[in-house]
Amino acid sequence: MLKLDLSQLAGFLPQGYAVSRQTGLKKAADMLAAGNGPGGDFTGWVALPEQYDREEFARIQAAAERIKKQSQVLVVVGIGGSYLGARAVIELLSSPNYNLKVKDTPDIYFAGNGLSTDALLELIALIGDRDFSVNVISKSGTTTEPAVAFRIFKGMLEQKYGKEGARERIYATTDRARGALKGLADQEGYETFVVPDAVGGRYSVLTAVGLLPIAAAGIDIAALMEGAARAMKELSIPGMDNPAWQYAAARHALYESGKSVELLACYEPSFRFFAEWWKQLYGESEGKEGKGLFPASVEFTADLHSMGQYIQQGQRLMFETVVRFEPKGTFLIPDDPENVDGLNFLSGKPLSFVAEQALRGTILAHVDGGVPNILIRMPQISESSVGYLIYFFEYVCGLSGYLLGVNPFDQPGVEAYKKNMFALLGKPGYEEMKQKLESRL
Ligand code: PA5
């Protein structure tokens, strides 16, 4: 399914860089499988593609069908790991223009992933007087951004449909037992879905967190899980033939050779939010204790005309990981009998041929410019290939965190801004901190 090409690392890494990491990778893979490494309580995603709650899965599919029937719009409220996976998969498998398409599924808008007044007002105007449902997603149930957004959309639903009607249109995805959202959902009688204890936000796209919005968009979530299950099976085989081990070894060796940025590039505009999901996955998993590659992303060829200059000649701090999908369709470049634009050397050639030469030329140019390249070739974008790629990146992330010597499943740094914000907002219990912060601003 996935083909990893590391041939363009040859001039950058010493021979044997992979073999020298084999013992570390074995240890990392064993810790992921046994759940006994740092953060081992959060390795529930490792076996998830096979060991998930089938009864809940069927409820997710049923809820998605109900949402399709009852609403023209689904508002998905969540942030970070409770947001990016669903958007990534919907955009990659459907389109960034999903909402503009003629379809029998609801428009899907994402809310609660920021605090912009303008964005909120725009979203309310976009919903207009259409029927809508809400899927509120928060593992902790206390994150400020989605909590504020949910209060607003809950109020709108209750005003429009009454309390009883609103209850039929609110779907809460949260912790099995704890948190303010769980309490609210139980009290109000919303249908609830579970973020499993052992799965952290950024690894949760294949739980109800991602699956309900994805299914509501008409995507075959069973096929998505099957793709992930295939990856799980293939990538659990130990040894340096395993592409997950190879990728983890390469990025660790590049990091140790002095590279500090991994640039994820793709030639599909629909990949943009997948890259955002990937950035959270790697950024939150590795970026701690003063360590970790900074995950960045670009969209080719568009960004070759903006970031391309820096990549080619700026500070030599990065390597590139390029994801290339087989195209689904064919488009032949037309002939122009007058050849005014001088492009007839391309007449009759598929556009994908041009893209392929752009990819090959770019790889060589960047390698010549001192940017090592990792190429991931994928078949066509489909539920199955996307499920596979999700699991591949998650698994490599777990391996990479352990190779780096960090806990890839916590995010202590995220708390700092939250505490400051609570204090500055005047949340009870933060009075002393508020005074200290105010004196510094
Ligand atoms: O990956 C993570 O753990 C975070 O990005 C969380 O998903 C994010 O902060 C939202 O948290 P919650 O789902 O508790 O609202």
Side-chain angles (χ1 to χ4, degrees), residues 108-126:
I108 296 181
Y109 293 108
F110 294 91
N113 52 63
L115 291 166
S116 162
T117 306
D118 292 358
L120 176 73
L121 291 173
E122 184 191 58
L123 175 49
I124 292 170
L126 281 169

Side-chain angles (χ1 to χ4, degrees), residues 80 83-92 95-96 110 113 264 266 268-281 297-299:
Y83 155 59
L84 287 164
R87 185 158 184 183
V89 173
I90 292 169
E91 293 210 359
L92 186 54
S95 164
F110 294 91
N113 52 63
L264 187 72
C266 187
E268 300 300 329
S270 58
F271 194 77
R272 182 175 152 217
F273 264 86
F274 198 91
E276 294 301 318
W277 168 82
W278 175 90
K279 285 192 278 194
Q280 187 205 358
L281 181 64
S297 64
V298 281
E299 181 197 315

Side-chain angles (χ1 to χ4, degrees), residues 319-399:
F319 67 92
E320 250 173 3
T321 299
V322 178
V323 179
R324 173 76 174 143
F325 293 96
E326 281 294 317
K328 282 189 206 154
T330 308
F331 192 92
L332 301 183
I333 296 173
D335 189 55
D336 176 1
E338 290 171 23
N339 196 23
V340 188
D341 53 14
L343 279 179
N344 271 2
F345 70 101
L346 293 177
S347 296
K349 297 241 162 56
L351 184 60
S352 59
F353 168 78
V354 182
E356 183 63 20
Q357 305 326 308
L359 173 135
R360 296 170 74 210
T362 304
I363 288 176
L364 293 180
H366 289 177
V367 166
D368 289 345
V371 179
N373 184 277
I374 295 171
L375 178 59
I376 297 172
R377 284 201 184 269
M378 295 295 294
Q380 294 177 0
I381 297 171
S382 68
E383 278 90 345
S384 168
S385 65
V386 171
Y388 194 104
L389 193 60
I390 287 171
Y391 192 88
F392 173 77
F393 278 131
E394 288 182 349
Y395 192 67
V396 171
C397 192
L399 292 176

Side-chain angles (χ1 to χ4, degrees), residues 24 109 130 228 242 333 401 406:
Y109 293 108
R130 291 185 289 169
N242 181 329
I333 296 173
V406 299

